[in-house]
Amino acid sequence: MNKQQLEQLLGEDLTGMSSVGGGCIADSQVITTRSGRKFFLKQGFSNGMFRKEANGLKELARPGVIKVPDVIDCGDDYLILEHIEQGSKKKDFFEDLGHKLALLHRFEGEHFGFFEDNFIGSTPQENIPSEDEAHNWPLFYWNKRLMFQFRLAEKNGYADNTMQHLFALLEKVYEKILEGSEEAPSLMHGDLWGGNYMSDIKGNPVLIDPAVYYGHREADLAMTKLFGGFSAAFYRAYEETWPLQEGASERESIYLLYHVMNHLNLFGTGYYSQAIRLLEKLIR
């Protein structure tokens, strides 16, 4: 989308367009209008990714418990968002984030998944459940998350005999691993690592770049452990707001596996060993 198209869409002249970091994959810019309004523009893909992101942000906004950027407009190859000025984290930032994430997870869906497939990073993420998967979290998670990534790894040449053998063994025990943790479908950010939250000008938490679906909240929390960036106060506040079920720490590995497999498929063999270690841990 060029300057002229943006001016027509926003209804006023632009006085500035500056490139900024916008995650790992999108071409992102802050655009400023003559009246001083600012917007965040993402471009660089024409596969419908931005429409899916817009729908995810709108879904996260529904409970009204944590700030996400307002969607101004989107198309197949662009997304215009409210520009949120970044500020220093307030003193109780992580307590607030943990509390609000628990409240977000309290927002229940009618079934697991989402009304549309979307993306996690640039990887497609299948969300539309079969009749059997809609109310069976272990089956949904196995088919739509772990097996999707495994088949992609096979296609990419990463799933060697060792990985194939370990996945075959995991298939026999995944239901037992998840047994006893049943809950209603929770609204999930879906890709909650340290780069996908920020603090606004007042120091309040904001969630960005989601991969939204309704799932088991432990999967959202597991992702926060992959690269760090969340303090002990965050987890303490979450637990105080809505305690996790017994055995959550033992189930962490099966939820981490999805994200490690996704990173293997996105970035290559640097994540292979980590995937194998998780698989070996899970089948012990």
Side-chain angles (χ1 to χ4, degrees), residues 208-229:
I208 59 174
D209 295 344
V212 165
Y213 66 101
Y214 286 83
H216 200 300
R217 60 195 176 113
E218 289 176 10
D220 242 3
L221 286 165
M223 179 56 176
T224 67
K225 305 284 184 72
L226 188 57
F227 303 115

Side-chain angles (χ1 to χ4, degrees), residues 118-245:
N118 51 27
F119 293 86
I120 181 158
S122 59
T123 306
Q125 180 170 261
E126 293 187 338
N127 292 323
I128 301 171
S130 68
E131 194 173 326
D132 291 339
E133 294 162 351
H135 302 287
N136 183 329
W137 170 247
L139 189 63
F140 176 90
Y141 186 70
W142 178 256
N143 290 335
K144 293 293 191 281
R145 296 294 178 262
L146 295 183
M147 283 309 295
F148 180 87
Q149 291 288 345
F150 174 70
R151 292 191 189 103
L152 191 56
E154 283 187 315
K155 182 180 174 182
N156 291 334
Y158 302 136
D160 60 8
N161 290 340
T162 300
M163 183 176 284
Q164 290 174 26
H165 176 64
L166 291 170
F167 259 92
L169 293 175
L170 182 60
E171 186 171 14
K172 297 176 182 178
V173 298
Y174 77 88
E175 288 176 295
K176 185 172 178 59
I177 292 169
L178 296 175
E179 192 175 40
S181 66
E182 294 83 1
E183 288 183 339
S186 288
L187 177 56
M188 311 256 286
H189 178 280
D191 192 15
L192 193 56
W193 67 288
N196 282 347
Y197 69 78
M198 59 176 285
S199 56
D200 67 14
I201 198 69
K202 294 182 179 179
N204 297 308
V206 180
L207 295 181
I208 59 174
D209 295 344
V212 165
Y213 66 101
Y214 286 83
H216 200 300
R217 60 195 176 113
E218 289 176 10
D220 242 3
L221 286 165
M223 179 56 176
T224 67
K225 305 284 184 72
L226 188 57
F227 303 115
F230 297 80
S231 75
F234 164 81
Y235 299 104
R236 188 167 57 247
Y238 186 99
E239 284 276 355
E240 287 171 357
T241 308
W242 188 13
L244 293 169
Q245 294 188 68

Side-chain angles (χ1 to χ4, degrees), residues 7 39 43 54 58 96 113 127 145 147 173 222 230 248 252 265:
E7 288 176 336
F39 302 93
Q43 300 184 100
K58 290 173 184 176
D96 196 22
N127 292 323
R145 296 294 178 262
M147 283 309 295
V173 298
F230 297 80
E252 236 172 53
N265 283 313

